[in-house]
Amino acid sequence: YGMDFGYSNDPSAIVAVYKYNGGYIWDEIFYKKGFRNSQLADVIKSQEVQALVVDDSAEPKSIDEISMNGVSIIPVLKGPGSINQGIDKVRQQKISVTKRSINVWSEYKKYMYDKDREGKTINVPKGGYDHAMDAVRYAMQNIIGDPEEDFVDWGLYNVTFK
């Protein structure tokens, strides 16, 4: 799973990412505002498939709280250029989106790059419609990895069914 934190102004987004038939399936699990970390942990624990959650490394306290609630969760590895690198990796894949993933699909269609003063597209993602897409990117970065770096397999494929 990939997760992006939100609360009052932005929604929290949880998206399951499954490797399937040479591509990936994105399945929106949750997309709402106003949920505390303990409630997000309950949402994740209620899923049929229990798998690792990859989340925004900018919120270590939230990751710790969710972990203390019994969820296997790690921060996404970030660095200079990691957003564009993650987007590029995602764009190179064959993707399918489930019918119930309304917000994922909506964000995907709105996900675009910013423009400079002259109206030319620049290599900087435009913010705003990116909560589900960030969750997807976090999960995909963990699944795909970077062949040029040492990649740690955190066990995303070791799923168990309830």
Side-chain angles (χ1 to χ4, degrees):
Y1 298 101
M3 182 163 65
D4 188 49
F5 291 114
Y7 190 69
S8 54
N9 295 325
D10 297 321
S12 295
I14 303 170
V15 180
V17 176
Y18 302 99
K19 196 168 188 174
Y20 178 76
N21 200 23
Y24 296 90
I25 297 173
W26 298 348
D27 186 25
E28 181 178 316
I29 303 299
F30 184 84
Y31 192 92
K32 293 182 183 173
K33 295 179 186 178
F35 276 66
R36 296 183 314 274
N37 291 333
S38 60
Q39 293 172 302
L40 294 172
D42 289 342
V43 169
I44 295 164
K45 291 188 299 186
S46 73
Q47 300 307 302
E48 183 177 342
V49 176
Q50 295 298 300
L52 180 69
V53 177
V54 184
D55 210 321
D56 189 351
S57 57
E59 295 212 27
K61 182 177 179 183
S62 293
I63 290 171
D64 191 47
E65 287 176 8
I66 291 172
S67 176
M68 290 174 66
N69 277 281
V71 173
S72 179
I73 185 171
I74 61 168
V76 68
L77 301 175
K78 287 185 179 180
S82 63
I83 293 174
N84 286 335
Q85 182 183 30
I87 291 169
D88 289 344
K89 284 182 185 179
V90 170
R91 292 174 80 186
Q92 295 170 15
Q93 309 305 314
K94 177 182 164 189
I95 303 295
S96 299
V97 179
T98 61
K99 289 181 184 179
R100 72 177 180 171
S101 300
I102 296 166
N103 296 295
V104 171
W105 184 244
S106 175
E107 284 190 11
Y108 181 78
K109 291 190 297 185
K110 295 174 186 173
Y111 205 61
M112 59 186 68
Y113 286 95
D114 225 341
K115 296 184 184 237
D116 64 15
R117 292 180 188 151
E118 298 169 6
K120 294 179 184 175
T121 302
I122 56 175
N123 200 24
V124 176
K126 193 171 190 174
Y129 298 105
D130 57 2
H131 312 293
M133 294 308 297
D134 283 349
V136 163
R137 186 169 45 85
Y138 299 155
M140 297 281 295
Q141 279 180 247
N142 191 69
I143 293 171
I144 299 168
D146 187 342
E148 296 178 11
E149 295 180 4
D150 292 332
F151 178 68
V152 178
D153 180 358
W154 294 96
L156 187 61
Y157 303 112
N158 298 331
V159 298
T160 56
F161 293 87
K162 285 185 184 175

